Amino acid sequence: MSLQLKNIVSTIQAKWFGDTPDSLIDTISIDSRSLQNSPSTLFFALVGPNNDAHIFIEELIDKGVLNFVVTHIPEGCETKANFLVVQNTLDALQLFAAYYRSLFEFPVIGLTGSNGKTIVKEWLNFLLSPDYNVIRSPKSYNSQVGVPLSVIAINEKHNLGIFEAGISTRAEMIKLEKIIKPTIGILTSIGSTHDEGFSNKEEKIKEKLTLFKNSKVLIYQRNPVVDACVDPNLKVFTWSFENKEADVFISKKEINAENTTIQYRYKGDSNELEIPFVDKASVENAISCLLVLLYFEYDKATIQNRIQLLYPVEMRLKVKNGINNCSIIDDSYSSDYQSLKIALDFLESQKKHANKTVILSDIFQSGLSNDELYTKVSQLIVSNKINRVIGIGETISEFQNKFANCITFKNTAEFVTNFENLNFANETILIKGARSFQFEEIVYLLEEKTHETVLEINLNAISHNLNYFKSKLEPGIKLMVMVKAFGYGSGGLEIANLLEHHKVDYLGVAFADEGISLKNGGVKLPIMVLNPENTSFPAIIQYQLEPEIYCLKGLHAFLKIAKQKNLHDYPIHIKLDTGMHRLGFEENTIEELIAALKENTTVKVKSVLSHMASSDDLIHQDFSLSQISLFDSLSTRMIKELNISPIRHILNTSGISNYPLAQFDMVRLGIGLYGVSNDPLEQKYLENVGTLKSVISQIRTIPAGESVGYGRRFMAEKPTKIATIPIGYADGISRAWGNGVGFVTIKGQKASVLGSICMDMLMVDVTEIDCTEGNAVIIFGENPTVSFIAKELNTIPYEILTSISQRVKRVFYR
Ligand SMILES: *Cc1c(COP(=O)(O)O)cnc(C)c1O
């Protein structure tokens, strides 16, 4: 892309402010974190219900970005950049994308449906790329924002587009239609997801079909409901298992051990096709692909050759723990320029290590000449501050001199031979390669080998929950997030990094060493330490942590050390006891507290806080209100007598929900961030964050009369199929969850825990479940939920979450 800024102004109906209308724009960005933002970037400041990218503009200008689409110009920035002012920045982005799309004329496949869009898109890309320069939506970029960003990546060399569109409510598809303008439509399966936004199924289908209103053909599986909704003037190309009138009639489906054979009739001929999957959804997705290949008039043999190579699609980027304290990002199934850009942005968001390595295969289907392509790739590598590049493949080897610190290998085998000499340690490694390079071998070498149990943390769910609670705050109220106890068991540093990106105001930890490890990890947000020991005060000062002071003894001890160090206005937080009776100054010590703080310049009361004993339980509402009012009066007294203006805060998660009038200046969010609410109504708005997963190690069937486990606490009354799972009480699974009380989920079905839970293992009943060794096991997550387990075990979700041992590997994903 290369467009003059002034030409964009009218396209997006903007008002122009700035000095350099001739500026050339070559990239569009909405991500303030991206290191790819540059002077030739046009940054669209999107405004969401809880997030407003306008707050990043000043920072971006400092980093050299010069061109912005905004709803208003941030104060003080007026003369520092070019601004295109519009009513709504998302509308502007969409208008721009529709305009950009109109500059190109080649076949574009548009996909929508409830399931399978991303998989069919990835597969079509794989099937068609030997013959076309394909541009496709990266990952599952199918939203009102994702679609414009996908389309904007088209360049002159592409000659086939594949874009997916997803909607959740009415009137959304028409906007996406204008941007994608598909010439060939595919409707994948119509399920029940996102039904809430529609009054019935017909309405949903009709809305989806608007994507194809200007298409030349629509490909779909015959189904009476869909048939009735399709515009009779639209040409269709259909398939069916039942309806012989479909263009492609599947007369037979045979499921074998590892694949499925179908018999299909097309134009009077009967053909056989082997699909390398056995599950229904994959087979149907492969048939959608078959129809596209038939529509493109591929011959039988080519179709069979390519379809039998279809592979499982990894839908999301994941960070895994690697050997020698490395972190690895596994994107080993694709290599194209667009997805490289996304993977590099993801790499940047993982700030765990200062050193970054990219292992990269030859890049295919860029639409550019190799020279241009590797020049652009090397620019990306430079702007993302990658320390070393390991190139694998004949072509990238040829262009090695374009990269600064780069080693290359002709193929993966050569890399494997030299693996030991590459000394991977303490770095983040992005592994990105085309399928044919079989980078899974590299992933295997680099992955830390521990047992198979992992706690998966969904970072998007954390962002969602954060935004939900933000939406409950009055304007201007600050937010402290509690990341004590290793982020409630979910991972301290990773979550702190995410919160820093979301610009929360404060972090809270319990002990100084928790704060120190966050600071060592590069966290810049101010951190309050809830229960500092006097012995930790020097370290607190050294690491710029902010202590909570809860008694006179502590105050004097801190003042003494701070004075020795000649500190001025060092931030401290004063905790008042208003009824919790745990830590804090009681009412009768306030006078002394005020006296001790008066006329002191060593410390500064940054905030005054208290903690509620029962904000979750409305039975104690009167008591809670009395705590709030005592907090109000005590803190007001401090403010008056000391002439200070501290941040005042008393609410934790359930306080935010139940006492919205007591937000004062800040709230302290804890458990809610991690997806747990004490209120079943509110729970519906939160997303599950952690999923504790394991695998089946071994399966056996025991006859009636045999026992299972220590103490023979389970006796089989009938032949029973037993699966052993490598997770036990040392991993944090309570023994009380054993002996038929608890269950795990395998293939969506309940398997109850048999006998006593061991230190490192437990056994479950899988008599009724069709499963094999190596199958995934869910200990908690969507089902059972942490809240459910807590209730059954007579405890609270906090205890379940924070009990999961540190030996369980945490895996973060978006
Ligand atoms: C843990 C903690 C919180 C957060 O509580 P949640 O119930 O998890 O929201 C808030 N304030 C203090 C003082 C805490 O110790």
Side-chain angles (χ1 to χ4, degrees):
M1 167 186 318
S2 180
L3 295 167
Q4 276 194 350
L5 193 57
K6 65 180 173 209
N7 297 336
I8 298 175
V9 176
S10 63
T11 308
I12 63 171
Q13 298 163 10
K15 270 214 193 81
W16 161 266
F17 297 86
D19 308 324
T20 46
D22 298 332
S23 300
L24 281 184
I25 298 300
D26 63 12
T27 32
I28 300 296
S29 172
I30 59 161
D31 180 357
S32 63
R33 268 182 305 180
S34 176
L35 290 178
Q36 294 152 32
N37 293 324
S38 76
S40 53
T41 295
L42 179 59
F43 184 87
F44 282 73
L46 298 187
V47 181
N50 311 298
N51 289 315
D52 182 346
H54 288 79
I55 60 174
F56 300 114
I57 288 177
E58 216 175 320
E59 191 179 314
L60 284 163
I61 292 176
D62 287 344
K63 289 187 186 151
V65 180
L66 288 175
N67 308 293
F68 297 90
V69 177
V70 295
T71 57
H72 60 275
I73 304 178
E75 224 167 284
C77 297
E78 293 82 356
T79 57
K80 295 186 187 158
N82 293 310
F83 290 99
L84 309 193
V85 179
V86 296
Q87 290 238 312
N88 177 316
T89 45
L90 176 59
D91 288 350
L93 178 67
Q94 295 180 340
L95 277 173
F96 176 74
Y99 160 75
Y100 188 73
R101 163 76 179 88
S102 74
L103 303 177
F104 299 91
E105 270 195 54
F106 51 70
V108 167
I109 300 175
L111 298 116
T112 193
S114 305
N115 301 306
K117 298 182 280 291
T118 305
I119 292 168
V120 175
K121 180 201 71 199
E122 289 299 313
W123 282 354
L124 284 176
N125 171 60
F126 169 77
L127 295 166
L128 295 168
S129 54
D131 309 303
Y132 294 89
N133 281 326
V134 179
I135 169 78
R136 71 186 194 282
S137 332
K139 300 281 157 197
S140 42
Y141 272 36
N142 61 29
S143 66
Q144 297 288 315
V145 177
V147 168
L149 291 179
S150 307
V151 166
I152 289 167
I154 301 177
N155 70 36
E156 296 71 21
K157 305 283 171 53
H158 293 123
N159 56 16
L160 177 68
I162 311 177
F163 298 107
E164 57 171 290
I167 52 167
S168 50
T169 184
R170 272 171 291 179
E172 288 188 335
M173 193 59 96
I174 191 72
K175 296 185 190 167
L176 301 185
E177 194 276 334
K178 289 192 180 123
I179 304 169
I180 300 178
K181 283 259 176 271
T183 53
I184 299 164
I186 302 176
L187 183 67
T188 62
S189 93
I190 286 282
S192 58
T193 40
H194 297 310
D195 260 347
E196 316 92 74
F198 301 93
S199 40
N200 58 46
K201 202 164 173 175
E202 280 76 14
E203 188 187 61
K204 180 172 78 167
I205 293 172
K206 281 195 176 138
E207 174 74 23
K208 293 199 181 216
L209 288 171
T210 44
L211 179 61
F212 311 119
K213 72 192 190 78
N214 294 307
S215 299
K216 296 203 176 88
V217 63
L218 169 63
I219 292 171
Y220 73 100
Q221 177 182 14
R222 292 290 292 256
N223 157 333
V225 190
V226 180
D227 291 346
C229 294
V230 173
D231 175 357
N233 296 319
L234 177 59
K235 186 178 151 202
V236 297
F237 186 52
T238 61
W239 65 276
S240 178
F241 288 120
E242 293 106 29
N243 188 336
K244 293 190 178 160
E245 280 167 25
D247 299 286
V248 177
F249 172 61
I250 318 281
S251 56
K252 205 168 128 203
K253 181 171 118 177
E254 200 179 290
I255 302 175
N256 319 313
E258 287 182 345
N259 58 31
T260 303
T261 315
I262 61 166
Q263 203 83 40
Y264 68 94
R265 233 173 39 218
Y266 175 54
K267 289 191 172 162
D269 278 347
S270 187
N271 308 289
E272 203 175 87
L273 177 69
E274 205 180 282
I275 297 170
F277 290 93
V278 291
D279 66 290
K280 179 165 173 277
S282 299
V283 170
E284 294 187 8
N285 290 333
I287 296 174
S288 289
C289 293
L290 165 67
L291 263 84
V292 176
L293 295 184
L294 290 172
Y295 183 79
F296 277 70
E297 300 184 341
Y298 279 92
D299 61 63
K300 261 195 293 199
T302 312
I303 291 177
Q304 176 63 76
N305 285 341
R306 291 191 188 173
I307 288 216
Q308 76 191 13
L309 296 176
L310 291 182
Y311 52 93
V313 174
E314 184 70 69
M315 307 281 276
R316 51 198 197 193
L317 288 172
K318 267 192 196 169
V319 190
K320 303 177 185 171
N321 288 341
I323 54 167
N324 305 332
N325 193 34
C326 290
S327 303
I328 57 183
I329 300 173
D330 175 6
D331 200 6
S332 58
Y333 284 117
S334 68
S335 131
D336 54 279
Y337 183 71
Q338 199 55 26
S339 69
L340 176 63
K341 287 181 75 162
I342 292 172
L344 286 170
D345 276 342
F346 183 73
L347 174 66
E348 170 55 18
S349 69
Q350 299 302 315
K351 296 192 192 136
K352 202 155 169 191
H353 306 289
N355 271 339
K356 298 184 272 187
T357 292
V358 173
I359 303 178
L360 186 64
S361 77
D362 288 350
I363 294 180
F364 297 131
Q365 355 145 325
S366 66
L368 304 168
S369 75
N370 280 334
D371 194 62
E372 281 173 290
L373 169 65
Y374 288 99
T375 305
K376 284 182 78 171
V377 171
S378 96
Q379 284 162 359
L380 266 187
I381 296 283
V382 170
S383 63
N384 278 281
K385 308 201 168 77
I386 302 299
N387 305 78
R388 74 169 158 167
V389 176
I390 298 174
I392 299 180
E394 307 262 342
T395 322
I396 197 165
S397 295
E398 263 174 58
F399 291 91
Q400 178 176 7
N401 58 9
K402 292 211 185 271
F403 302 93
N405 181 12
C406 177
I407 324 174
T408 57
F409 300 100
K410 289 271 180 310
N411 51 46
T412 306
E414 209 177 274
F415 170 92
V416 171
T417 317
N418 287 284
F419 180 72
E420 292 300 330
N421 306 331
L422 294 166
N423 298 324
F424 292 101
N426 303 313
E427 58 198 308
T428 305
I429 307 166
L430 169 65
I431 303 172
K432 182 120 190 72
R435 254 190 90 64
S436 56
F437 284 87
Q438 299 188 326
F439 273 13
E440 57 273 18
E441 284 183 41
I442 298 179
V443 175
Y444 179 76
L445 283 175
L446 284 169
E447 233 179 330
E448 187 183 43
K449 316 283 178 300
T450 51
H451 62 176
E452 308 282 0
T453 300
V454 294
L455 179 59
E456 283 195 349
I457 303 294
N458 180 345
L459 295 173
N460 283 355
I462 291 189
S463 302
H464 169 94
N465 298 337
L466 180 72
N467 285 334
Y468 170 77
F469 285 100
K470 269 192 191 167
S471 75
K472 307 206 117 196
L473 302 184
E474 297 296 324
I477 301 294
K478 291 185 164 29
L479 180 61
M480 174 183 284
V481 179
M482 308 310 291
V483 292
K484 57 194 185 195
F486 199 55
Y488 287 51
S490 303
L493 185 56
E494 291 78 4
I495 291 176
N497 276 332
L498 182 70
L499 294 169
E500 184 156 285
H501 169 67
H502 283 293
K503 297 198 182 266
V504 308
D505 300 282
Y506 256 98
L507 297 178
V509 297
F511 297 102
D513 52 358
E514 296 177 312
I516 292 171
S517 80
L518 295 181
K519 288 279 179 180
N520 278 337
V523 172
K524 305 237 161 38
L525 284 175
I527 300 175
M528 181 179 87
V529 181
L530 285 169
N531 19 347
E533 290 121 347
N534 291 3
T535 49
S536 68
F537 285 153
I540 286 194
I541 293 169
Q542 185 190 342
Y543 285 89
Q544 300 275 301
L545 301 168
E546 303 180 11
E548 174 189 290
I549 301 291
Y550 53 81
C551 64
L552 283 165
K553 226 165 104 198
L555 179 61
H556 289 306
F558 190 76
L559 281 173
K560 189 170 158 209
I561 293 175
K563 275 191 190 131
Q564 279 167 2
K565 296 194 187 279
N566 258 327
L567 299 181
H568 283 283
D569 285 344
Y570 195 90
I572 61 167
H573 302 263
I574 299 291
K575 171 77 126 328
L576 304 177
D577 179 7
T578 55
M580 173 82 175
H581 301 329
R582 187 171 68 177
L583 294 178
F585 291 90
E586 289 173 44
E587 190 169 6
N588 61 14
T589 57
I590 289 289
E591 193 147 338
E592 267 182 285
L593 168 66
I594 291 176
L597 287 171
K598 218 162 205 164
E599 266 131 52
N600 115 87
T601 53
T602 311
V603 295
K604 176 181 174 167
V605 180
K606 193 74 196 286
S607 88
V608 178
L609 68 147
S610 188
H611 194 45
M612 291 166 80
S614 201
S615 62
D616 57 330
D617 195 342
L618 292 174
I619 287 191
H620 300 296
Q621 189 173 30
D622 288 347
F623 178 78
S624 296
L625 291 172
S626 76
Q627 275 198 286
I628 291 168
S629 104
L630 181 59
F631 175 64
D632 193 15
S633 70
L634 293 182
S635 56
T636 306
R637 189 172 151 201
M638 288 183 65
I639 290 171
K640 281 209 186 112
E641 295 189 21
L642 289 167
N643 192 21
I644 52 175
S645 44
I647 302 167
R648 296 193 294 165
H649 46 119
I650 188 170
L651 299 181
N652 65 342
T653 302
S654 9
I656 299 172
S657 315
N658 292 333
Y659 300 94
L661 296 178
Q663 294 178 0
F664 292 93
D665 308 305
M666 180 156 83
V667 299
R668 299 188 304 272
L669 178 62
I671 193 100
L673 183 78
Y674 309 96
V676 177
S677 170
N678 295 305
D679 176 355
L681 262 178
E682 183 165 80
Q683 184 66 53
K684 286 210 276 193
Y685 294 101
L686 301 183
E687 285 180 8
N688 180 57
V689 168
T691 303
L692 182 57
K693 279 186 171 170
S694 192
V695 294
I696 300 178
S697 304
Q698 198 181 19
I699 292 183
R700 77 189 71 245
T701 299
I702 56 167
E706 287 291 310
S707 66
V708 173
Y710 286 124
R712 310 190 63 202
R713 300 277 294 278
F714 172 78
M715 285 287 176
E717 284 168 9
K718 53 182 174 35
T720 306
K721 192 164 123 196
I722 314 281
T724 303
I725 324 286
I727 184 170
Y729 59 77
D731 298 291
I733 309 300
S734 167
R735 278 186 82 245
W737 195 235
N739 293 312
V741 175
F743 67 91
V744 301
T745 302
I746 297 174
K747 296 208 149 177
Q749 285 167 272
K750 277 188 192 181
S752 63
V753 182
L754 298 182
S756 298
I757 291 179
C758 313
M759 187 186 291
D760 311 303
M761 275 169 273
L762 56 82
M763 282 72 86
V764 297
D765 181 355
V766 290
T767 310
E768 303 298 328
I769 303 177
D770 177 20
C771 58
T772 57
E773 290 168 3
N775 278 162
V777 177
I778 296 190
I779 321 296
F780 66 63
E782 302 275 358
N783 183 30
T785 61
V786 168
S787 301
F788 176 84
I789 297 176
K791 208 162 141 226
E792 295 295 300
L793 294 181
N794 232 332
T795 178
I796 50 175
Y798 300 72
E799 185 178 348
I800 306 284
L801 283 174
T802 55
S803 297
I804 301 308
S805 126
Q806 286 302 314
R807 83 174 184 188
V808 174
K809 174 158 80 161
R810 269 71 174 169
V811 176
F812 301 88
Y813 69 94
R814 271 161 218 273

